């Protein structure tokens, strides 16, 4: 057993059955969204869960506090679109006060970000991931099915001015945005930003037929190097999900996330809680336990802690094994918005 002494008390860290320590909670706060990115959900949206089925803020804070006592020190707020959930700023602020949580970050589509930036800065949010799949208004509309390009670009510039560390996520898709790979990379020449190219995954809520990707992480980097052959490889953080590079004389960096080819699982330190309170020990499992139901049946904090340990003692070693364990392939049709991508 591995204990760490903090100023507070001794904590009993959470490990999986492959010796990986869990440190990072991805918390899906809503399934709902004001965009309809075609790789994430159908045009008509999803069969969104009733509010009563979604974890309350109190339930989210309780689960986060229990995990913080097990060594989880970083939380990412995601969804759905976090800023469409009413009073989300109150949850974000409360999470920053949980003992043991050192950083709270957010992944957002940037449509409603600007109005929240002053408070986000004031409460010490120091990193935001902005999703932006292209640098062209028409293509943006085709991908997201909404006319929000100008707001998202305004959010990008506001983030650059805010001093908040920013990563831009772009899902790479053969038919839609290959021409944007170079311009998006070039954002890093003039801005201190990390632009990350994500392999498309099958989690689109049944909105489209998923065919094996044509652009994997390796091909994306080779493509960048056709224009910038002096692009250099950077050292990645040990639990980084991206392989990172830098264009010559760039202020920022670029990265590729092999989310579909899954060469990043060996160092995975992530816990996913979906908006409905399902635990996913891997992005590619379809949920292994309902902490919502467990809490609502009256589970104590100790029982919840034991249950996390039990579930992580049977974790798949990688995304391929997790997918194989599923009896059906139905999780292929789940949306990233209900997973908490
Ligand atoms: N709505 C917020 C946003 O778009 O940033 C947060 C939730 S969204 C599900 C989180 C991330 O998942 C986004 O960067 C999005 O591009 C990515 N994503 C969604 N569906 C995906 C898919 N099928 N394959 C790869 N990435 C996907
Ligand atoms: Fe909404 Fe994010 Fe999914 Fe796009 S990727 S539909 S912004 S949840």
């Amino acid at each position: 057993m591995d204990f760490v002494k903090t100023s507070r008390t001794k904590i009993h860290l959470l490990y999986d059955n492959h010796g990986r320590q869990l440190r990072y909670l991805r918390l899906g706060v809503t399934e709902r969204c004001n965009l309809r990115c075609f790789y994430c959900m159908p045009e008509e949206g999803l069969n969104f869960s009733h509010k009563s089925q979604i974890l309350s803020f109190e339930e989210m804070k309780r689960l986060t506090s229990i995990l913080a006592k097990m060594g989880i020190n970083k939380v990412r707020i995601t969804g759905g679109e976090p800023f469409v959930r009413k009073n989300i700023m109150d949850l974000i602020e409360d999470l920053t006060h949980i003992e043991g949580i050192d950083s709270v970050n957010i992944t957002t589509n940037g449509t409603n970000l600007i109005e929240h930036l002053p408070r986000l800065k004031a409460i010490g949010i120091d990193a935001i991931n902005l999703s932006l799949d292209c640098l062209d208004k028409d293509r943006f509309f085709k991908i997201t099915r909404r006319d929000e390009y100008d707001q998202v670009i305004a959010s990008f510039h506001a983030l650059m001015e805010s001093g908040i560390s920013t990563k831009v996520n772009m899902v790479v898709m053969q038919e839609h945005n290959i021409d944007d790979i170079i311009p998006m990379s070039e954002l890093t020449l003039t801005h201190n930003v990390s632009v990350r190219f994500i392999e498309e995954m099958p989690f689109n809520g049944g909105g489209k037929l998923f065919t094996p990707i044509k652009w994997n992480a390796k091909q994306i980097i080779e493509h960048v190097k056709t224009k910038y052959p002096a692009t250099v490889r950077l050292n990645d953080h040990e639990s980084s999900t991206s392989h990172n590079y830098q264009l010559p004389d760039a202020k920022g960096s670029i990265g590729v996330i092999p989310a579909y080819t899954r060469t990043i699982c060996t160092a995975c330190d992530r816990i996913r809680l979906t908006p409905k309170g399902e635990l996913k020990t891997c992005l590619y499992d379809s949920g292994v336990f309902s902490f919502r139901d467990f809490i609502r049946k009256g589970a104590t904090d100790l029982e919840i802690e034991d249950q996390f340990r039990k579930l992580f003692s049977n974790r798949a070693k990688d995304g391929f094994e997790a997918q194989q364990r599923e009896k059906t392939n139905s999780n292929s049709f789940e949306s990233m918005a209900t997973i908490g991508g």
Side-chain angles (χ1 to χ4, degrees), residues 33 35 37 40-41 80 109 337:
C33 188
L35 300 186
C37 305
C40 179
M41 62 171 82
N109 64 28

Side-chain angles (χ1 to χ4, degrees), residues 39-40 78-81 107-109 131 169 171 199 201 203 336:
Y39 52 75
C40 179
T78 179
E81 172 50 33
T107 299
T108 174
N109 64 28
S131 300
N169 289 342
V171 179
E199 292 177 350
M201 294 181 283
F203 307 117
M336 281 296 271

Side-chain angles (χ1 to χ4, degrees), residues 54-317:
I54 301 295
L55 289 184
S56 68
F57 287 172
E58 288 313 312
E59 289 168 331
M60 289 180 187
K61 285 188 274 183
R62 182 171 173 212
L63 288 169
T64 307
S65 299
I66 293 168
L67 287 167
K69 290 187 186 123
M70 302 163 85
I72 280 66
N73 57 14
K74 178 174 169 186
V75 181
R76 174 166 301 282
I77 308 289
T78 179
E81 172 50 33
F83 291 107
V84 303
R85 182 148 179 187
K86 206 169 156 211
N87 300 328
I88 188 65
M89 285 302 305
D90 295 338
L91 173 74
I92 296 173
E93 181 160 2
D94 287 351
L95 291 175
T96 66
H97 293 138
I98 292 177
E99 191 171 357
I101 298 299
D102 300 330
S103 92
V104 178
N105 300 334
I106 303 162
T107 299
T108 174
N109 64 28
T111 51
N112 296 319
L113 178 64
I114 291 182
E115 63 188 282
H116 299 295
L117 269 181
R119 186 162 168 203
L120 289 168
K121 269 209 90 163
I123 63 174
I125 301 303
D126 52 12
I128 290 184
N129 287 6
L130 178 72
S131 300
L132 175 64
D133 299 312
C134 61
L135 289 173
D136 176 89
K137 198 170 167 136
D138 293 337
R139 280 203 288 280
F140 181 92
F141 183 78
K142 282 198 183 106
I143 292 171
T144 66
R145 300 161 170 141
R146 296 288 185 273
D147 185 16
E148 298 274 353
Y149 180 76
D150 293 339
Q151 286 83 331
V152 180
I153 291 295
S155 289
F156 170 76
H157 290 294
L159 277 169
M160 293 301 97
E161 276 164 33
S162 72
I164 294 178
S165 166
T166 304
K167 291 177 179 160
V168 171
N169 289 342
M170 165 175 162
V171 179
V172 177
M173 296 157 289
Q174 165 75 25
E175 311 79 19
H176 290 272
N177 58 4
I178 300 309
D179 289 347
D180 290 278
I181 294 175
I182 298 290
M184 290 285 279
S185 302
E186 288 170 343
L187 280 180
T188 69
L189 296 175
T190 45
H191 297 88
N192 182 10
V193 63
S194 165
V195 173
R196 288 126 38 100
F197 302 101
I198 309 178
E199 292 177 350
E200 187 186 356
M201 294 181 283
F203 307 117
N204 56 47
K208 73 189 262 280
L209 183 67
F210 181 78
T211 45
I213 56 169
K214 297 212 172 71
W215 284 77
N216 65 27
K218 202 163 158 247
Q219 287 159 325
I220 295 164
I221 282 301
E222 276 165 13
H223 180 65
V224 173
K225 284 184 177 170
T226 56
K227 176 146 187 207
Y228 293 99
T231 296
V232 292
R233 182 85 158 87
L234 301 175
N235 290 327
D236 302 327
H237 183 268
E238 62 171 321
S239 60
S240 173
T241 50
S242 56
H243 303 311
N244 299 297
Y245 298 80
Q246 192 163 40
L247 269 52
D249 300 321
K251 290 191 174 149
S253 61
I254 60 170
V256 282
I257 303 186
Y260 182 69
T261 52
R262 285 164 264 182
T263 51
I264 42 175
C265 302
T266 44
C268 181
D269 64 352
R270 292 160 177 230
I271 298 176
R272 286 193 155 78
L273 279 171
T274 72
K276 285 201 288 188
E278 281 281 322
L279 172 74
K280 289 168 83 73
T281 58
C282 172
L283 182 55
Y284 283 83
D285 71 43
S286 60
V288 295
F289 189 74
S290 172
F291 276 96
R292 178 198 65 198
D293 294 349
F294 200 46
I295 287 180
R296 292 183 188 177
K297 278 185 196 143
T300 64
D301 286 6
L302 202 59
E303 285 167 341
I304 292 172
E305 180 177 333
D306 285 348
Q307 192 62 20
F308 274 120
R309 289 192 201 287
K310 189 170 147 206
L311 294 160
F312 275 100
S313 70
N314 184 32
R315 189 186 192 201
K317 75 172 186 307

